[in-house]
Amino acid sequence: MKKDALLDAAEALLSEQGTQALTLNAVADRAGVSKGGLLYHFPTKEALVRGLVSRVIEEFDDLVDGYDDGSPSGRTRAYVEATFEILTGEARAYRRWSAITAAATDPELAAPLNEAMAR
């Protein structure tokens, strides 16, 4: 639960103030924890961004799985439906994708996003 609260705080900062606002101090303050508490879970800013990327990929994969009916074209249909849900559904989901994509400007940090999209 603590990790999700930290990721939520980072996501909110990215969404509201942009990538320049994503500092470890700002995330700790936003989450209401000490910097040491943040560093326990995410020892670097890059680790924090990796956590954001990992979570958004996992949530998208779960969304696709939820739409997949097991039919021959089910996975493709599920991917399209999940994508439309992200783009037109809950505003938070779109905000999350936009913010995390912006934060993962380093090619190494963006690699998992690119791999997930390639799937």
Side-chain angles (χ1 to χ4, degrees), residues 10-27 45 49 99 102-105:
E11 179 185 303
L13 282 168
L14 282 168
S15 176
E16 295 165 7
Q17 300 175 32
T19 56
Q20 75 284 352
L22 187 68
T23 67
L24 295 178
N25 285 333
V27 173
K45 181 178 173 180
V49 172
T105 55

mmCIF file with all atom_site columns, all heavy atoms in Angstrom, residues 10-27 45 49 99 102-105:
data_model
loop_
_atom_site.group_PDB
_atom_site.id
_atom_site.type_symbol
_atom_site.label_atom_id
_atom_site.label_alt_id
_atom_site.label_comp_id
_atom_site.label_asym_id
_atom_site.label_entity_id
_atom_site.label_seq_id
_atom_site.pdbx_PDB_ins_code
_atom_site.Cartn_x
_atom_site.Cartn_y
_atom_site.Cartn_z
_atom_site.occupancy
_atom_site.B_iso_or_equiv
_atom_site.pdbx_formal_charge
_atom_site.auth_seq_id
_atom_site.auth_comp_id
_atom_site.auth_asym_id
_atom_site.auth_atom_id
_atom_site.pdbx_PDB_model_num
ATOM 1   N N   . ALA A 1 10  ? 3.680  10.679 -6.929  1.00 0.00 ? 10  ALA A N   1
ATOM 2   C CA  . ALA A 1 10  ? 4.536  11.021 -8.068  1.00 0.00 ? 10  ALA A CA  1
ATOM 3   C C   . ALA A 1 10  ? 3.694  11.292 -9.307  1.00 0.00 ? 10  ALA A C   1
ATOM 4   O O   . ALA A 1 10  ? 3.930  12.260 -10.039 1.00 0.00 ? 10  ALA A O   1
ATOM 5   C CB  . ALA A 1 10  ? 5.533  9.890  -8.330  1.00 0.00 ? 10  ALA A CB  1
ATOM 6   N N   . GLU A 1 11  ? 2.710  10.463 -9.520  1.00 0.00 ? 11  GLU A N   1
ATOM 7   C CA  . GLU A 1 11  ? 1.818  10.627 -10.674 1.00 0.00 ? 11  GLU A CA  1
ATOM 8   C C   . GLU A 1 11  ? 1.075  11.962 -10.607 1.00 0.00 ? 11  GLU A C   1
ATOM 9   O O   . GLU A 1 11  ? 0.955  12.672 -11.608 1.00 0.00 ? 11  GLU A O   1
ATOM 10  C CB  . GLU A 1 11  ? 0.833  9.472  -10.673 1.00 0.00 ? 11  GLU A CB  1
ATOM 11  C CG  . GLU A 1 11  ? -0.178 9.482  -11.764 1.00 0.00 ? 11  GLU A CG  1
ATOM 12  C CD  . GLU A 1 11  ? -1.164 8.350  -11.572 1.00 0.00 ? 11  GLU A CD  1
ATOM 13  O OE1 . GLU A 1 11  ? -0.742 7.192  -11.507 1.00 0.00 ? 11  GLU A OE1 1
ATOM 14  O OE2 . GLU A 1 11  ? -2.365 8.653  -11.458 1.00 0.00 ? 11  GLU A OE2 1
ATOM 15  N N   . ALA A 1 12  ? 0.591  12.310 -9.436  1.00 0.00 ? 12  ALA A N   1
ATOM 16  C CA  . ALA A 1 12  ? -0.131 13.578 -9.279  1.00 0.00 ? 12  ALA A CA  1
ATOM 17  C C   . ALA A 1 12  ? 0.791  14.763 -9.561  1.00 0.00 ? 12  ALA A C   1
ATOM 18  O O   . ALA A 1 12  ? 0.395  15.710 -10.241 1.00 0.00 ? 12  ALA A O   1
ATOM 19  C CB  . ALA A 1 12  ? -0.717 13.675 -7.875  1.00 0.00 ? 12  ALA A CB  1
ATOM 20  N N   . LEU A 1 13  ? 2.009  14.704 -9.057  1.00 0.00 ? 13  LEU A N   1
ATOM 21  C CA  . LEU A 1 13  ? 2.965  15.786 -9.327  1.00 0.00 ? 13  LEU A CA  1
ATOM 22  C C   . LEU A 1 13  ? 3.233  15.917 -10.822 1.00 0.00 ? 13  LEU A C   1
ATOM 23  O O   . LEU A 1 13  ? 3.252  17.027 -11.362 1.00 0.00 ? 13  LEU A O   1
ATOM 24  C CB  . LEU A 1 13  ? 4.281  15.533 -8.587  1.00 0.00 ? 13  LEU A CB  1
ATOM 25  C CG  . LEU A 1 13  ? 4.286  15.853 -7.107  1.00 0.00 ? 13  LEU A CG  1
ATOM 26  C CD1 . LEU A 1 13  ? 5.532  15.285 -6.440  1.00 0.00 ? 13  LEU A CD1 1
ATOM 27  C CD2 . LEU A 1 13  ? 4.204  17.351 -6.897  1.00 0.00 ? 13  LEU A CD2 1
ATOM 28  N N   . LEU A 1 14  ? 3.439  14.781 -11.479 1.00 0.00 ? 14  LEU A N   1
ATOM 29  C CA  . LEU A 1 14  ? 3.688  14.811 -12.925 1.00 0.00 ? 14  LEU A CA  1
ATOM 30  C C   . LEU A 1 14  ? 2.513  15.419 -13.668 1.00 0.00 ? 14  LEU A C   1
ATOM 31  O O   . LEU A 1 14  ? 2.685  16.251 -14.552 1.00 0.00 ? 14  LEU A O   1
ATOM 32  C CB  . LEU A 1 14  ? 3.940  13.394 -13.442 1.00 0.00 ? 14  LEU A CB  1
ATOM 33  C CG  . LEU A 1 14  ? 5.318  12.822 -13.192 1.00 0.00 ? 14  LEU A CG  1
ATOM 34  C CD1 . LEU A 1 14  ? 5.333  11.331 -13.496 1.00 0.00 ? 14  LEU A CD1 1
ATOM 35  C CD2 . LEU A 1 14  ? 6.359  13.543 -14.021 1.00 0.00 ? 14  LEU A CD2 1
ATOM 36  N N   . SER A 1 15  ? 1.336  15.003 -13.301 1.00 0.00 ? 15  SER A N   1
ATOM 37  C CA  . SER A 1 15  ? 0.135  15.468 -13.991 1.00 0.00 ? 15  SER A CA  1
ATOM 38  C C   . SER A 1 15  ? -0.128 16.951 -13.762 1.00 0.00 ? 15  SER A C   1
ATOM 39  O O   . SER A 1 15  ? -0.488 17.673 -14.681 1.00 0.00 ? 15  SER A O   1
ATOM 40  C CB  . SER A 1 15  ? -1.064 14.647 -13.528 1.00 0.00 ? 15  SER A CB  1
ATOM 41  O OG  . SER A 1 15  ? -2.239 15.126 -14.100 1.00 0.00 ? 15  SER A OG  1
ATOM 42  N N   . GLU A 1 16  ? 0.052  17.383 -12.530 1.00 0.00 ? 16  GLU A N   1
ATOM 43  C CA  . GLU A 1 16  ? -0.291 18.756 -12.172 1.00 0.00 ? 16  GLU A CA  1
ATOM 44  C C   . GLU A 1 16  ? 0.794  19.778 -12.502 1.00 0.00 ? 16  GLU A C   1
ATOM 45  O O   . GLU A 1 16  ? 0.489  20.917 -12.847 1.00 0.00 ? 16  GLU A O   1
ATOM 46  C CB  . GLU A 1 16  ? -0.593 18.836 -10.673 1.00 0.00 ? 16  GLU A CB  1
ATOM 47  C CG  . GLU A 1 16  ? -1.824 18.048 -10.276 1.00 0.00 ? 16  GLU A CG  1
ATOM 48  C CD  . GLU A 1 16  ? -1.929 17.828 -8.769  1.00 0.00 ? 16  GLU A CD  1
ATOM 49  O OE1 . GLU A 1 16  ? -1.104 18.405 -8.012  1.00 0.00 ? 16  GLU A OE1 1
ATOM 50  O OE2 . GLU A 1 16  ? -2.812 17.056 -8.355  1.00 0.00 ? 16  GLU A OE2 1
ATOM 51  N N   . GLN A 1 17  ? 2.067  19.341 -12.387 1.00 0.00 ? 17  GLN A N   1
ATOM 52  C CA  . GLN A 1 17  ? 3.153  20.324 -12.483 1.00 0.00 ? 17  GLN A CA  1
ATOM 53  C C   . GLN A 1 17  ? 4.213  19.982 -13.525 1.00 0.00 ? 17  GLN A C   1
ATOM 54  O O   . GLN A 1 17  ? 5.131  20.770 -13.741 1.00 0.00 ? 17  GLN A O   1
ATOM 55  C CB  . GLN A 1 17  ? 3.818  20.472 -11.108 1.00 0.00 ? 17  GLN A CB  1
ATOM 56  C CG  . GLN A 1 17  ? 2.850  20.950 -10.047 1.00 0.00 ? 17  GLN A CG  1
ATOM 57  C CD  . GLN A 1 17  ? 3.494  20.985 -8.671  1.00 0.00 ? 17  GLN A CD  1
ATOM 58  O OE1 . GLN A 1 17  ? 4.686  21.221 -8.547  1.00 0.00 ? 17  GLN A OE1 1
ATOM 59  N NE2 . GLN A 1 17  ? 2.706  20.741 -7.642  1.00 0.00 ? 17  GLN A NE2 1
ATOM 60  N N   . GLY A 1 18  ? 4.130  18.809 -14.137 1.00 0.00 ? 18  GLY A N   1
ATOM 61  C CA  . GLY A 1 18  ? 5.090  18.440 -15.166 1.00 0.00 ? 18  GLY A CA  1
ATOM 62  C C   . GLY A 1 18  ? 6.315  17.743 -14.619 1.00 0.00 ? 18  GLY A C   1
ATOM 63  O O   . GLY A 1 18  ? 6.502  17.601 -13.406 1.00 0.00 ? 18  GLY A O   1
ATOM 64  N N   . THR A 1 19  ? 7.165  17.324 -15.551 1.00 0.00 ? 19  THR A N   1
ATOM 65  C CA  . THR A 1 19  ? 8.315  16.503 -15.177 1.00 0.00 ? 19  THR A CA  1
ATOM 66  C C   . THR A 1 19  ? 9.317  17.234 -14.286 1.00 0.00 ? 19  THR A C   1
ATOM 67  O O   . THR A 1 19  ? 9.982  16.604 -13.470 1.00 0.00 ? 19  THR A O   1
ATOM 68  C CB  . THR A 1 19  ? 9.040  15.976 -16.429 1.00 0.00 ? 19  THR A CB  1
ATOM 69  O OG1 . THR A 1 19  ? 9.414  17.075 -17.251 1.00 0.00 ? 19  THR A OG1 1
ATOM 70  C CG2 . THR A 1 19  ? 8.168  15.039 -17.217 1.00 0.00 ? 19  THR A CG2 1
ATOM 71  N N   . GLN A 1 20  ? 9.428  18.536 -14.424 1.00 0.00 ? 20  GLN A N   1
ATOM 72  C CA  . GLN A 1 20  ? 10.378 19.276 -13.607 1.00 0.00 ? 20  GLN A CA  1
ATOM 73  C C   . GLN A 1 20  ? 10.030 19.209 -12.124 1.00 0.00 ? 20  GLN A C   1
ATOM 74  O O   . GLN A 1 20  ? 10.888 19.378 -11.271 1.00 0.00 ? 20  GLN A O   1
ATOM 75  C CB  . GLN A 1 20  ? 10.510 20.730 -14.077 1.00 0.00 ? 20  GLN A CB  1
ATOM 76  C CG  . GLN A 1 20  ? 9.355  21.637 -13.709 1.00 0.00 ? 20  GLN A CG  1
ATOM 77  C CD  . GLN A 1 20  ? 8.098  21.455 -14.553 1.00 0.00 ? 20  GLN A CD  1
ATOM 78  O OE1 . GLN A 1 20  ? 8.100  20.729 -15.545 1.00 0.00 ? 20  GLN A OE1 1
ATOM 79  N NE2 . GLN A 1 20  ? 7.021  22.104 -14.162 1.00 0.00 ? 20  GLN A NE2 1
ATOM 80  N N   . ALA A 1 21  ? 8.774  18.964 -11.801 1.00 0.00 ? 21  ALA A N   1
ATOM 81  C CA  . ALA A 1 21  ? 8.337  18.910 -10.402 1.00 0.00 ? 21  ALA A CA  1
ATOM 82  C C   . ALA A 1 21  ? 8.614  17.560 -9.749  1.00 0.00 ? 21  ALA A C   1
ATOM 83  O O   . ALA A 1 21  ? 8.492  17.430 -8.537  1.00 0.00 ? 21  ALA A O   1
ATOM 84  C CB  . ALA A 1 21  ? 6.842  19.210 -10.316 1.00 0.00 ? 21  ALA A CB  1
ATOM 85  N N   . LEU A 1 22  ? 8.985  16.575 -10.551 1.00 0.00 ? 22  LEU A N   1
ATOM 86  C CA  . LEU A 1 22  ? 9.203  15.231 -10.013 1.00 0.00 ? 22  LEU A CA  1
ATOM 87  C C   . LEU A 1 22  ? 10.581 15.140 -9.363  1.00 0.00 ? 22  LEU A C   1
ATOM 88  O O   . LEU A 1 22  ? 11.576 14.813 -10.006 1.00 0.00 ? 22  LEU A O   1
ATOM 89  C CB  . LEU A 1 22  ? 9.056  14.168 -11.110 1.00 0.00 ? 22  LEU A CB  1
ATOM 90  C CG  . LEU A 1 22  ? 9.090  12.729 -10.594 1.00 0.00 ? 22  LEU A CG  1
ATOM 91  C CD1 . LEU A 1 22  ? 7.848  12.439 -9.761  1.00 0.00 ? 22  LEU A CD1 1
ATOM 92  C CD2 . LEU A 1 22  ? 9.174  11.759 -11.760 1.00 0.00 ? 22  LEU A CD2 1
ATOM 93  N N   . THR A 1 23  ? 10.613 15.469 -8.084  1.00 0.00 ? 23  THR A N   1
ATOM 94  C CA  . THR A 1 23  ? 11.827 15.304 -7.286  1.00 0.00 ? 23  THR A CA  1
ATOM 95  C C   . THR A 1 23  ? 11.479 14.381 -6.132  1.00 0.00 ? 23  THR A C   1
ATOM 96  O O   . THR A 1 23  ? 10.308 14.251 -5.748  1.00 0.00 ? 23  THR A O   1
ATOM 97  C CB  . THR A 1 23  ? 12.341 16.645 -6.726  1.00 0.00 ? 23  THR A CB  1
ATOM 98  O OG1 . THR A 1 23  ? 11.387 17.144 -5.770  1.00 0.00 ? 23  THR A OG1 1
ATOM 99  C CG2 . THR A 1 23  ? 12.578 17.666 -7.832  1.00 0.00 ? 23  THR A CG2 1
ATOM 100 N N   . LEU A 1 24  ? 12.501 13.746 -5.578  1.00 0.00 ? 24  LEU A N   1
ATOM 101 C CA  . LEU A 1 24  ? 12.249 12.837 -4.462  1.00 0.00 ? 24  LEU A CA  1
ATOM 102 C C   . LEU A 1 24  ? 11.667 13.583 -3.265  1.00 0.00 ? 24  LEU A C   1
ATOM 103 O O   . LEU A 1 24  ? 10.757 13.087 -2.602  1.00 0.00 ? 24  LEU A O   1
ATOM 104 C CB  . LEU A 1 24  ? 13.533 12.084 -4.095  1.00 0.00 ? 24  LEU A CB  1
ATOM 105 C CG  . LEU A 1 24  ? 14.063 11.139 -5.180  1.00 0.00 ? 24  LEU A CG  1
ATOM 106 C CD1 . LEU A 1 24  ? 15.365 10.490 -4.736  1.00 0.00 ? 24  LEU A CD1 1
ATOM 107 C CD2 . LEU A 1 24  ? 13.027 10.082 -5.538  1.00 0.00 ? 24  LEU A CD2 1
ATOM 108 N N   . ASN A 1 25  ? 12.180 14.783 -3.003  1.00 0.00 ? 25  ASN A N   1
ATOM 109 C CA  . ASN A 1 25  ? 11.640 15.577 -1.891  1.00 0.00 ? 25  ASN A CA  1
ATOM 110 C C   . ASN A 1 25  ? 10.173 15.908 -2.114  1.00 0.00 ? 25  ASN A C   1
ATOM 111 O O   . ASN A 1 25  ? 9.361  15.816 -1.189  1.00 0.00 ? 25  ASN A O   1
ATOM 112 C CB  . ASN A 1 25  ? 12.441 16.861 -1.699  1.00 0.00 ? 25  ASN A CB  1
ATOM 113 C CG  . ASN A 1 25  ? 13.781 16.619 -1.036  1.00 0.00 ? 25  ASN A CG  1
ATOM 114 O OD1 . ASN A 1 25  ? 13.953 15.672 -0.286  1.00 0.00 ? 25  ASN A OD1 1
ATOM 115 N ND2 . ASN A 1 25  ? 14.737 17.482 -1.339  1.00 0.00 ? 25  ASN A ND2 1
ATOM 116 N N   . ALA A 1 26  ? 9.824  16.320 -3.322  1.00 0.00 ? 26  ALA A N   1
ATOM 117 C CA  . ALA A 1 26  ? 8.444  16.692 -3.616  1.00 0.00 ? 26  ALA A CA  1
ATOM 118 C C   . ALA A 1 26  ? 7.510  15.497 -3.494  1.00 0.00 ? 26  ALA A C   1
ATOM 119 O O   . ALA A 1 26  ? 6.392  15.622 -2.976  1.00 0.00 ? 26  ALA A O   1
ATOM 120 C CB  . ALA A 1 26  ? 8.346  17.303 -5.013  1.00 0.00 ? 26  ALA A CB  1
ATOM 121 N N   . VAL A 1 27  ? 7.952  14.340 -3.956  1.00 0.00 ? 27  VAL A N   1
ATOM 122 C CA  . VAL A 1 27  ? 7.123  13.136 -3.858  1.00 0.00 ? 27  VAL A CA  1
ATOM 123 C C   . VAL A 1 27  ? 6.926  12.751 -2.399  1.00 0.00 ? 27  VAL A C   1
ATOM 124 O O   . VAL A 1 27  ? 5.810  12.437 -1.972  1.00 0.00 ? 27  VAL A O   1
ATOM 125 C CB  . VAL A 1 27  ? 7.734  11.974 -4.674  1.00 0.00 ? 27  VAL A CB  1
ATOM 126 C CG1 . VAL A 1 27  ? 6.971  10.675 -4.421  1.00 0.00 ? 27  VAL A CG1 1
ATOM 127 C CG2 . VAL A 1 27  ? 7.740  12.307 -6.158  1.00 0.00 ? 27  VAL A CG2 1
ATOM 128 N N   . LYS A 1 45  ? 15.413 8.562  -8.302  1.00 0.00 ? 45  LYS A N   1
ATOM 129 C CA  . LYS A 1 45  ? 14.320 9.069  -9.132  1.00 0.00 ? 45  LYS A CA  1
ATOM 130 C C   . LYS A 1 45  ? 14.049 8.092  -10.275 1.00 0.00 ? 45  LYS A C   1
ATOM 131 O O   . LYS A 1 45  ? 12.894 7.852  -10.639 1.00 0.00 ? 45  LYS A O   1
ATOM 132 C CB  . LYS A 1 45  ? 14.672 10.455 -9.669  1.00 0.00 ? 45  LYS A CB  1
ATOM 133 C CG  . LYS A 1 45  ? 13.602 11.086 -10.515 1.00 0.00 ? 45  LYS A CG  1
ATOM 134 C CD  . LYS A 1 45  ? 14.026 12.477 -10.948 1.00 0.00 ? 45  LYS A CD  1
ATOM 135 C CE  . LYS A 1 45  ? 13.063 13.068 -11.936 1.00 0.00 ? 45  LYS A CE  1
ATOM 136 N NZ  . LYS A 1 45  ? 13.467 14.411 -12.358 1.00 0.00 ? 45  LYS A NZ  1
ATOM 137 N N   . VAL A 1 49  ? 10.528 6.310  -11.383 1.00 0.00 ? 49  VAL A N   1
ATOM 138 C CA  . VAL A 1 49  ? 9.943  6.319  -12.724 1.00 0.00 ? 49  VAL A CA  1
ATOM 139 C C   . VAL A 1 49  ? 9.747  4.884  -13.217 1.00 0.00 ? 49  VAL A C   1
ATOM 140 O O   . VAL A 1 49  ? 8.709  4.566  -13.804 1.00 0.00 ? 49  VAL A O   1
ATOM 141 C CB  . VAL A 1 49  ? 10.793 7.153  -13.707 1.00 0.00 ? 49  VAL A CB  1
ATOM 142 C CG1 . VAL A 1 49  ? 10.293 7.006  -15.138 1.00 0.00 ? 49  VAL A CG1 1
ATOM 143 C CG2 . VAL A 1 49  ? 10.785 8.624  -13.292 1.00 0.00 ? 49  VAL A CG2 1
ATOM 144 N N   . ALA A 1 99  ? 1.445  11.323 -18.213 1.00 0.00 ? 99  ALA A N   1
ATOM 145 C CA  . ALA A 1 99  ? 2.468  11.747 -17.262 1.00 0.00 ? 99  ALA A CA  1
ATOM 146 C C   . ALA A 1 99  ? 3.652  10.793 -17.252 1.00 0.00 ? 99  ALA A C   1
ATOM 147 O O   . ALA A 1 99  ? 4.809  11.218 -17.261 1.00 0.00 ? 99  ALA A O   1
ATOM 148 C CB  . ALA A 1 99  ? 1.860  11.854 -15.864 1.00 0.00 ? 99  ALA A CB  1
ATOM 149 N N   . ALA A 1 102 ? 5.789  11.013 -20.353 1.00 0.00 ? 102 ALA A N   1
ATOM 150 C CA  . ALA A 1 102 ? 6.625  12.214 -20.308 1.00 0.00 ? 102 ALA A CA  1
ATOM 151 C C   . ALA A 1 102 ? 7.810  12.027 -19.371 1.00 0.00 ? 102 ALA A C   1
ATOM 152 O O   . ALA A 1 102 ? 8.912  12.502 -19.652 1.00 0.00 ? 102 ALA A O   1
ATOM 153 C CB  . ALA A 1 102 ? 5.793  13.415 -19.865 1.00 0.00 ? 102 ALA A CB  1
ATOM 154 N N   . ALA A 1 103 ? 7.615  11.337 -18.271 1.00 0.00 ? 103 ALA A N   1
ATOM 155 C CA  . ALA A 1 103 ? 8.685  11.145 -17.295 1.00 0.00 ? 103 ALA A CA  1
ATOM 156 C C   . ALA A 1 103 ? 9.740  10.174 -17.788 1.00 0.00 ? 103 ALA A C   1
ATOM 157 O O   . ALA A 1 103 ? 10.904 10.265 -17.410 1.00 0.00 ? 103 ALA A O   1
ATOM 158 C CB  . ALA A 1 103 ? 8.106  10.647 -15.973 1.00 0.00 ? 103 ALA A CB  1
ATOM 159 N N   . ALA A 1 104 ? 9.339  9.243  -18.622 1.00 0.00 ? 104 ALA A N   1
ATOM 160 C CA  . ALA A 1 104 ? 10.258 8.209  -19.093 1.00 0.00 ? 104 ALA A CA  1
ATOM 161 C C   . ALA A 1 104 ? 10.966 8.662  -20.364 1.00 0.00 ? 104 ALA A C   1
ATOM 162 O O   . ALA A 1 104 ? 10.969 7.968  -21.375 1.00 0.00 ? 104 ALA A O   1
ATOM 163 C CB  . ALA A 1 104 ? 9.503  6.907  -19.306 1.00 0.00 ? 104 ALA A CB  1
ATOM 164 N N   . THR A 1 105 ? 11.593 9.825  -20.308 1.00 0.00 ? 105 THR A N   1
ATOM 165 C CA  . THR A 1 105 ? 12.273 10.350 -21.489 1.00 0.00 ? 105 THR A CA  1
ATOM 166 C C   . THR A 1 105 ? 13.600 9.653  -21.741 1.00 0.00 ? 105 THR A C   1
ATOM 167 O O   . THR A 1 105 ? 14.063 9.611  -22.867 1.00 0.00 ? 105 THR A O   1
ATOM 168 C CB  . THR A 1 105 ? 12.514 11.863 -21.348 1.00 0.00 ? 105 THR A CB  1
ATOM 169 O OG1 . THR A 1 105 ? 13.230 12.090 -20.130 1.00 0.00 ? 105 THR A OG1 1
ATOM 170 C CG2 . THR A 1 105 ? 11.203 12.620 -21.332 1.00 0.00 ? 105 THR A CG2 1
#
